[in-house]
Structure formats: C-alpha cells, structure tokens
Amino acid sequence: MDTTLNMMGLNLSLTEEHLAVQQAARDFAQTELLPGVIERDESQHFPDELVRKMGELGFLGMMVSPTYGGGGMDTVSYVLAMEELSKVDASASVMVSVNNSLVCYGLEAFGTEEQKQKYLVPLASGKTIGAFALSEPEAGSDATSQHTSAVDMGDYYLLNGTKNWITNGGRAGIYLVIAQTNPEKGHKGINCLIVEKGMEGFQIGKKENKLGIRGSDTHSLMFTDVKVPKENRIGADGFGFKFAMSTLNGGRIGIAAQALGIASGAYELSLQYSKERKAFGKAISEHQATQFKLAEMATNIEAARLLCFNAALDKDNHRDYVKSAAMAKLFASKVAMDTTVEAVQIHGGYGFVKEFHVERMMRDAKITQIYEGTSEIQKIVIAREILK
C-alpha cells in the first residue's frame, strides 16, 4: 500500500510509527493467527494464549492513554492493525475491536478517575477483556428500546433483563450494560452500568453457534436482581443513551476496518491463486473475465480504505465523525461481502473447500453488514446527517 493517500482534502502520509504498527499486526497475523485459523473456526474456540499475546503486544488497548496502560496510538494506527488482523482471522479482530472501540473508549471518554483506575487499566493491558451489552432479544442496535431494567435502590441499582449477541460474552471480566432506569423519560432515562463477572445473579447463557466469526465468543447474558453499586454508573443519571450512541460511532470505524481487512485478505488470496491456476492453456489471471473481477475488487477495496482513513482522521482531529464512520462501515461491509463472493468464484471448486480460506472469509464478511447497526441503520444515520 502506498504510504501517501489523497482524496478530496484527505492527505495522509503514514508515519514510521504507523508503518511499524501495521508491520507488527501483519507479523502477528501471519505467524500466530494463520496457523490453526481453520481449526478455530470449526471448533468455535479462540485460545486464551492468543488473547494474552494480543494483550502483550498492545492490540487490546491501542488508543488508551499511556496513563492507563495503553498504547496512546491514534485511530489511523488502529485501522491499520485491524485491517492486517482481519485479513487472516476476523474472530481475533472483533475481540480487538470491541475492547478498543466500545469498552476502553467508553471508559476513558466518560468514566470517572476511579472507574478508569479500577477497570480501564486491566482492560488496556489485556489482563482482562471487556464486553459491550446493548442488544436484546427485541432490540438489536435500537438503544431506545431497552427492556433490561436498572431500578435505583439508593446506593445501588437492581439490574434485571437479558442481553443477546454479546461479543466476548463468555470470557470478558468487565461488561458495560445499557439498561432503562426511568421508562417514563424514554431514552433520557437510560443508564450504562459497569458489571463484573461473578456478581451475584449474573449468568452467562449459551454460546451461539454462528455462521461466521465462529472463533469469537458470543453469548447471551442474564441478569436477575444483580446489585450494581451506584459508583459503577457511567456519567450522570440518564446518560446511557448518549453513551451508547457515542461508543457505537467509534465502533463503526473498527468494524469498517474489519470489513476492509476481510476484503483485502480475500483479494490477496484470489490474486495469488489467479496467477497459479491454469485454464485453457494459461493462467486464469490472463483471462479478461478474471482480470475484470480483480480490477473491480482492487478498486472497491481502495475506496473502502480511504473511507476508513477519512473517518479515522475525523476522529483523531476531533471533528464530527458520525457521518464518515457510518459511510465507512456501510461501504466497507458491502465491499467485504461482494469481494469474498467473487473470491470464492475465482477459486472455483477450491473456493468451496475450507483449506483455501475464502469460504470462511465469505461467512465472516456477512456479520460486518449486521453488527454495530445493519446497513439499513447506517443509511438512516447518513441520511440524518446530510439532511441536517
């Protein structure tokens, strides 16, 4: 990839630090993630040893201030790392995304100093990982329709309800849970509470048997009269909805980068395969039909990459990144789906075989169009922004 990117006012020259982060992520993906990625997909298991290594290398707290044990990196570095990890194993990268974009970001941006010292420090170092609990059986990314309740009991909240589709749900030690405290106030009555694994009444439900990102840990969570101390509330009473919306905006950049990585990985495998596979006396890369597919894949991936960097730069420069993050997520997730489908097609019968990886990438790509808000939700967000 060229180290200078230009697009309608976007001028990004990757620094030595950026390139070092990119190389470190690429090396880890190739040496640590690639071996066993097919087996992890089949067994639906991601080993704790690899999670520990990701923490030691700083991938789980990349953007957290060094004050709290993080890497202090910018969002561009995060996008670069997410792309490289996702080229090989989207199950690994989604753990990195949730811990960075949702949990660590939310705590650092809005938590108290006490909350940061107690929870952010171990999260940033990878000693524990976090989960963001918003979705419910009847409310996916709709933060206004929370049935999980947090009744104010004076010095604590009594938490009851169920959360679904929670990434890191089984292995996390710290959970940010969105719940309704004052139903009569609607979205202004919602709070975010920090819940620790092991609190009485907190149960982890069954692990989901998923189409893709099968190595990642996805569970439902059940809360029955869980006593959550008042000091575990993030922000003022009723701040939960704004908290969720803010963290989801950053989360979209992470998922856009994940989608970009899945597309990039599938494209690189297809490019290599097209030069090796022969049909009708010559490599299939010499056939115009294949060339057209590769050209379109490469163009769409580059456009998705620029959208990801545009959103990252908006965030790093403290500009409003609601629209740019939604655009990046909308486009990159479509590119991931389209590219992986074409990758399977280029591979032909081999594309249907697990050892060639692209069938897994196609399955992994689909979730990028669903979590952090479906494609339809991204269009609503974008339309709302451009119609202001």
Side-chain angles (χ1 to χ4, degrees):
M1 186 182 70
D2 192 347
T3 58
T4 302
L5 300 167
N6 295 279
M7 180 187 70
M8 296 176 62
L10 167 64
N11 189 334
L12 170 65
S13 295
L14 298 182
T15 65
E16 290 299 319
E17 183 181 6
H18 288 142
L19 296 174
V21 170
Q22 184 184 49
Q23 189 62 52
R26 183 179 297 150
D27 290 344
F28 179 77
Q30 294 296 324
T31 60
E32 300 286 350
L33 294 180
L34 186 57
V37 65
I38 294 172
E39 290 75 14
R40 292 195 297 273
D41 176 72
E42 291 182 341
S43 67
Q44 302 187 74
H45 175 68
F46 194 89
D48 291 332
E49 176 67 13
L50 287 177
V51 177
R52 183 185 62 77
K53 288 182 179 180
M54 289 196 295
E56 290 175 349
L57 288 169
F59 292 129
L60 294 175
M62 295 185 67
M63 296 178 288
V64 175
S65 167
T67 302
Y68 304 107
M73 299 178 196
D74 60 12
T75 314
V76 172
S77 297
Y78 172 56
V79 167
L80 289 166
M82 280 293 295
E83 180 181 358
E84 293 301 326
L85 297 174
S86 304
K87 283 181 182 180
V88 174
D89 190 350
S91 293
S93 67
V94 74
M95 294 183 204
V96 173
S97 176
V98 168
N99 210 67
N100 277 283
S101 295
L102 300 180
V103 184
C104 286
Y105 167 77
L107 280 167
E108 185 167 23
F110 304 109
T112 64
E113 184 60 28
E114 291 74 21
Q115 289 169 348
K116 292 174 188 178
Q117 293 294 340
K118 184 176 181 180
Y119 299 114
L120 182 58
V121 170
L123 284 165
S125 66
K127 290 180 180 176
T128 187
I129 60 173
F132 184 78
L134 171 65
S135 296
E136 296 185 356
E138 296 179 9
S141 298
D142 181 6
T144 64
S145 301
Q146 296 296 301
H147 293 283
T148 298
S149 63
V151 179
D152 190 339
M153 303 298 287
D155 58 351
Y156 66 90
Y157 289 97
L158 202 60
L159 184 65
N160 284 278
T162 301
K163 295 293 184 179
N164 273 19
W165 326 116
I166 307 305
T167 301
N168 299 340
R171 73 185 338 138
I174 297 164
Y175 301 77
L176 304 187
V177 182
I178 309 298
Q180 179 65 259
T181 298
N182 297 295
E184 68 280 0
K185 293 183 180 180
H187 71 277
K188 294 182 179 180
I190 293 172
N191 282 309
C192 178
L193 305 178
I194 304 169
V195 177
E196 299 176 34
K197 179 180 282 185
M199 282 184 169
E200 188 175 351
F202 174 23
Q203 262 187 306
I204 298 169
K206 70 178 182 67
K207 185 173 184 176
E208 302 293 348
N209 188 357
K210 307 188 299 290
L211 171 73
I213 56 166
R214 288 167 58 82
S216 72
D217 204 28
T218 307
H219 289 257
S220 56
L221 310 175
M222 286 83 74
F223 306 98
T224 305
D225 290 341
V226 179
K227 291 183 178 180
V228 183
K230 208 61 156 300
E231 58 264 27
N232 281 29
R233 185 186 72 204
I234 297 179
D237 186 28
F239 181 68
F241 176 77
K242 288 185 178 179
F243 175 86
M245 292 301 97
S246 180
T247 52
L248 285 176
N249 286 333
R252 287 174 183 135
I253 298 176
I255 298 309
Q258 182 190 39
L260 169 64
I262 294 170
S264 278
Y267 164 73
E268 289 175 7
L269 289 173
S270 299
L271 184 63
Q272 178 183 345
Y273 180 81
S274 73
K275 295 176 181 178
E276 299 168 353
R277 176 68 171 171
K278 288 184 168 53
F280 305 105
K282 57 184 178 181
I284 63 171
S285 62
E286 297 180 42
H287 292 285
Q288 193 175 67
T290 303
Q291 292 174 355
F292 281 2
K293 289 182 187 296
L294 292 170
E296 188 168 1
M297 291 159 78
T299 301
N300 286 335
I301 288 168
E302 191 65 15
R305 183 176 289 117
L306 290 169
L307 282 170
C308 287
F309 281 124
N310 186 47
L313 286 172
D314 279 347
K315 185 172 184 290
D316 286 338
N317 289 295
H318 309 289
R319 297 189 291 260
D320 187 342
Y321 58 93
V322 173
K323 182 181 71 174
S324 57
M327 284 181 167
K329 200 268 186 184
L330 173 67
F331 187 74
S333 62
K334 184 180 187 304
V335 170
M337 198 70 247
D338 292 347
T339 300
T340 54
V341 168
E342 290 288 33
V344 171
Q345 195 71 21
I346 288 172
H347 280 75
Y350 290 108
F352 225 63
V353 178
K354 289 184 179 295
E355 67 182 277
F356 284 78
H357 298 287
V358 290
E359 65 84 28
R360 184 187 76 256
M361 292 175 167
M362 184 176 70
R363 289 186 284 107
D364 288 347
K366 188 59 194 173
I367 192 61
T368 67
Q369 294 183 306
I370 297 172
Y371 55 17
E372 306 302 330
T374 62
S375 297
E376 291 74 18
I377 288 176
Q378 304 313 312
K379 291 174 185 178
I380 291 170
V381 171
I382 295 165
R384 186 178 61 212
E385 291 298 307
I386 63 178
L387 291 170
K388 276 183 178 178

